[in-house]
Amino acid sequence: MMGVHLGSVVMKLRTTMDPDQASIDSITLFVALLSACILIGHLLERIRWMNESITALAIGLCTGTIILLTTEGKSSHIFMFDEELFFIYLLPPIIFNAGFQVKKKQFFRNFSTIMLFGAFGTLISFGIISLGSAQLFKKLDIGFLETVDFLALGAIFSATDSVCTLQVLNQDETPLLYSLVFGEGVVNDATSVVLFNAIQRFDLSHITSSIAMKLLGDFLYLFTTSTLLGVAVGLLSAYIIKKLYFGSHSTDREVGLMILMAYLSYMMAELFNLSGILTVFFCGIVMSHYTWHNVTESSRVTTRHSFATMSFISETFIFLYVGMDALDIEKWKLVSKSPGTSVGVSSILLVLVLVGRAASILTLSFLSNLAKRLQSEKIGFSQQVTIWWAGLMRGAVSMALAYNQFTRSGHTQLRGNAIMITSTITIVLFSNVVFGLMTKPLIRLLLAPQKHLGSIISSDEKSFILPLLANEQDSEPDPGDGNIPHSTSLHMRLTKPDKTVHSYWRKFDDSVMRPVFGGRGFTPYVPASPREMFVH
């Protein structure tokens, strides 16, 4: 009955003459599918081999099959892919929530290693995939790709998707590993998009040393200015709420302003042709460090859950669509004329992804360990394998960049472009399903002996987690709360701090930044808005 009903709805979408009505019907059906993904994902949560990404992909594949059968092979999806839909509406909440929820102390303590993996590791993978595809595709007699296409492939398949691994890792048990995987994943996505945008700006038909230097300079410019813009908008939001809403807090206005300022940072980056991913990520970090502490307690709870919910729905939406689009008959008809070439392209790209990832992680881990003095700070082999595995999955960013390069509004009539799109879909499905299903057993096998050590390392952080806000990411003590216990080791660290970058930043932050922009311990405690207090 479900298949018949779904088919009738889809046929109605195809035959109706009113585009507004078709849009309403398609949105209704897609919202129903999103609800089903959430419900089924919750029911399958305890299964050892499953995760939310695979659940959404599976439901998308089943839905696409039903639509394909009921439309007699004409289509397999409800919506047509639009790059603007992804980059303007779906990606910002995912990246912002990543920055907003990150444990800043762990992130910045390992900032050099994260940037090493996220930026330089991506460049290594980019180079291996680009050069490898340019050389190996010649043996398949693929003559339709130009230099810019090979470079675009390097950027497309350098974008990782570590969602499956992060769902398994526990940031309290393995704080170092979680911080590295999480931070490297976000910086990697930003680096891939910045690389892709930089490639589009230059005429790369004939690469010279001057063009290569300009490309590198443009990359560094985008990286720096995008970061500074995100920090500036985050500080502006903190200053506005601290100054204008002091004494007259309103939860609705605070939450609305935080959401709009976060989205404004992303749109300003797009307006100035910068990297919106980097901008909104660092905006999220700054807003969680300053702005979040300037609002009422009820606003804190509301904003944290609001950002997490929007990110979750966006991720589910993307994987659901990818599952449906994997059966797009238009592209597969073009590919069916040369199935051997399609299989060869997919296999080569998958091997290059594995090799490029291994080369970057093993090499950079070795260099990172040389700079570490303490054995506990070094990245062990099992951790290197986990980080390598976390970056093998390909997801929404790769799909969006591939569509941007090889299609127009999701459509293509060129066989070469169709091969590239279907190969991308194949790698995304294969990596998420096969590698994703093996993630939980692999991590349990590799990290089982380290759980006790991880819990000891994170004991200081656990002692500062408040009962109400269990997701509080800062491990800094609240000066206004005398009931928070202090561990001996942390007390010694505060009285005799190490001369590290973090200690100097803490002094600068407490003496200059927080008095101006607010933050923990620098703004009065306001439990709720006056209206809420009156109601209670």
Side-chain angles (χ1 to χ4, degrees), residues 142-176:
I142 301 179
F144 52 82
L145 294 179
E146 300 177 356
T147 303
V148 66
D149 295 318
F150 291 117
L151 294 175
L153 284 175
I156 290 168
F157 290 100
S158 296
T160 65
D161 187 354
S162 54
V163 174
C164 293
T165 308
L166 290 175
Q167 289 175 353
V168 181
L169 289 177
N170 189 310
Q171 57 183 331
D172 292 325
E173 293 178 351
T174 54
L176 171 63

Side-chain angles (χ1 to χ4, degrees), residues 126 141 153 334 338:
F126 165 77
D141 194 22
L153 284 175
L334 295 173
S338 52

Side-chain angles (χ1 to χ4, degrees), residues 7 43 49 56 90 103 115 120 128 133 136 147 161 174-175 195 270 288 292 296 324 330 392 405 423 450 470:
L43 296 176
W49 306 93
L90 298 179
K103 283 193 173 183
M115 294 302 296
F120 291 97
I128 291 176
S133 59
L136 295 176
T147 303
D161 187 354
T174 54
L195 268 175
E270 294 298 318
S288 68
W292 191 76
T296 63
M324 287 190 292
E330 179 188 50
L392 293 180
Q405 178 70 21
S423 298
Q450 302 177 359

Side-chain angles (χ1 to χ4, degrees), residues 250-271:
S250 169
T251 298
D252 299 336
R253 293 171 182 168
E254 288 174 340
V255 175
L257 185 61
M258 288 184 69
I259 293 175
L260 291 175
M261 291 292 286
Y263 192 63
L264 177 64
S265 69
Y266 187 88
M267 294 310 300
M268 287 181 65
E270 294 298 318
L271 179 64

Side-chain angles (χ1 to χ4, degrees), residues 8 35 72 89 106 126 135-136 192 199 222 283 293 296 312 345 413 532:
S8 63
S35 302
E72 299 179 354
Y89 300 107
Q106 284 290 337
F126 165 77
Q135 296 299 320
L136 295 176
S192 299
I199 290 169
L222 288 174
C283 180
H293 294 283
T296 63
F312 172 72
V345 169
Q413 297 296 329
E532 292 168 339

Side-chain angles (χ1 to χ4, degrees), residues 335-470:
V335 174
S336 63
K337 299 177 181 178
S338 52
T341 302
S342 178
V343 173
V345 169
S346 301
S347 302
I348 289 174
L349 289 174
L350 185 60
V351 171
L352 290 175
V353 167
L354 295 170
V355 174
R357 182 70 181 171
S360 62
I361 295 301
L362 295 178
T363 303
L364 297 178
S365 296
F366 175 76
L367 296 177
S368 176
N369 289 339
L370 290 178
K372 302 292 183 181
R373 296 181 179 179
L374 299 178
Q375 186 65 31
S376 59
E377 295 179 348
K378 295 185 177 181
I379 306 172
F381 181 73
S382 60
Q383 293 175 321
Q384 294 178 30
V385 174
T386 303
I387 297 172
W388 169 74
W389 187 269
L392 293 180
M393 272 72 81
R394 295 296 177 266
V397 175
S398 295
M399 286 293 301
L401 294 180
Y403 273 100
N404 196 321
Q405 178 70 21
F406 298 109
T407 69
R408 291 184 178 180
S409 300
H411 290 284
T412 180
Q413 297 296 329
L414 300 177
R415 185 181 68 90
N417 289 349
I419 290 176
M420 292 297 106
I421 293 296
T422 53
S423 298
T424 304
I425 293 174
T426 302
I427 293 174
V428 169
L429 289 176
F430 182 86
S431 62
N432 276 275
V433 175
V434 177
F435 297 155
L437 289 175
M438 298 171 61
T439 297
K440 288 184 180 180
L442 179 68
I443 290 181
R444 288 178 181 177
L445 177 65
L446 293 174
L447 305 181
Q450 302 177 359
K451 288 185 177 180
H452 179 65
L453 178 61
S455 61
I456 294 176
I457 294 174
S458 62
S459 60
D460 289 340
E461 295 180 359
K462 289 182 180 179
S463 64
F464 294 118
I465 296 178
L466 298 179
L468 177 63
L469 300 174

